[in-house]
Amino acid sequence: MPLDLEEQEQLDQFKAFWQKYRNLITGVLTALLLTYAAYSAYQWWSNSQALAASQLYETMISAINKGDKDQAFLAANDMQKDFSRTPYAAMASLVAAKLASDAGDGAQEMTYLRWTAQHASNHGYQALAKLRLISQLTDQGSAADLAEADVMLKEKPVKGFEALWLERRGDWYLAQKNTQEARSSYEAAWQQLNQTKEFPEEARRLLKVKLDAVGGVAQ
C-alpha cells in the first residue's frame, strides 16, 4: 500500500535524522550495554568474593576453636592476599591481632593492626584497628611510636568513635606526663560519651578511672 504524502514526509524526516545521528545513538547504546555488562560482572565477582571469603573466615574460626593458631594465622594471611576488598579480611586481621596479643607477640599483633588500618574497606573495622594500634604505640612510648600515634590521632575520627579518639589522645598526653592536657582530653571524651548513650558501660567506667586519676571530675 503506497504511503500518503504525510507518512512519506515523516519517513523522510526519520531517515534524515537517523543518517545524521546514527553514530551517536549507536555509541550511546553500546556504552550503556557495556556499562550494564561491567556492572553485572562486578556484582557477580563481588558476590563470589564475599562467599569465598566467608568460607575462609569460617575455616579460621574453626581453627581457633581447635586451638590451631598457625592455621588461623594462615587463613588470615590468605584473606589479606586474596580477599582484601571484603569486610571478612579486616575481621580476620582483627581476630588474628587478638590471637597474637594473647600469645604475647606484640610485633605480629601490630602487623595485623597496621594492615587493617591501611586496607580495611569497612570504616568501623578500620577505626577499631587504629584505636588498638594507637594504644600499643602509646604503651611502647618511644619518640617514634608516639609520633606514629600522633599522626593517626590527628585524623578525623569515624562517626561514632569521637569519644574513643579523645580518650586515646588523653592516653597519648599522659604517656608524656602532660597531665593537664590529658585531663582536658578525658573530660572532652566524657562529654562525648554522655551524648552517645549506646556506649558500653564498661567504656564509661574505664574512662572515669582515667579521669579520676588525673584529677578530673566525672559526673
Side-chain angles (χ1 to χ4, degrees), residues 11-186:
L11 180 60
D12 290 342
Q13 288 175 350
F14 175 76
K15 287 180 178 179
F17 174 83
W18 177 251
Q19 187 67 28
K20 184 175 182 180
Y21 294 108
R22 63 181 179 181
N23 289 337
L24 176 61
I25 293 171
T26 301
V28 170
L29 289 175
T30 301
L32 289 173
L33 288 171
L34 288 174
T35 299
Y36 176 76
Y39 173 78
S40 298
Y42 175 77
Q43 287 294 102
W44 174 87
W45 177 84
S46 180
N47 291 336
S48 65
Q49 285 274 296
L51 178 60
S54 69
Q55 292 171 341
L56 186 54
Y57 184 77
E58 289 177 5
T59 298
M60 179 183 182
I61 298 303
S62 177
I64 293 172
N65 291 334
K66 294 176 182 177
D68 190 347
K69 291 194 296 292
D70 290 339
Q71 182 63 37
F73 288 135
L74 181 61
N77 295 341
D78 287 344
M79 202 93 69
Q80 290 178 1
K81 182 176 65 175
D82 298 327
F83 305 108
S84 61
R85 296 185 182 182
T86 69
Y88 289 101
M91 290 167 57
S93 292
L94 286 172
V95 172
K98 181 63 168 59
L99 280 178
S101 175
D102 292 344
D105 191 341
Q108 188 177 28
E109 176 191 8
M110 294 179 73
T111 296
Y112 282 114
L113 291 176
R114 282 195 174 95
W115 187 93
T116 310
Q118 294 171 8
H119 300 287
S121 59
N122 179 284
H123 293 309
Y125 294 144
Q126 188 178 60
L128 288 172
K130 286 183 178 181
L131 287 167
R132 286 171 59 179
L133 186 55
I134 289 167
S135 291
Q136 289 295 98
L137 291 166
T138 302
D139 287 345
Q140 292 180 175
S142 73
D145 292 327
L146 291 172
E148 184 180 350
D150 184 42
V151 170
M152 285 184 282
L153 285 166
K154 287 177 178 176
E155 297 175 2
K156 182 178 180 180
V158 173
K159 185 175 177 58
F161 289 84
E162 295 90 349
L164 295 176
W165 231 259
L166 286 166
E167 182 181 352
R168 294 300 185 278
R169 175 56 83 179
D171 297 343
W172 186 86
Y173 279 124
L174 196 59
Q176 299 170 88
K177 304 187 186 310
N178 190 337
T179 305
Q180 182 176 349
E181 291 296 341
R183 182 168 59 248
S184 296
S185 293
Y186 289 149

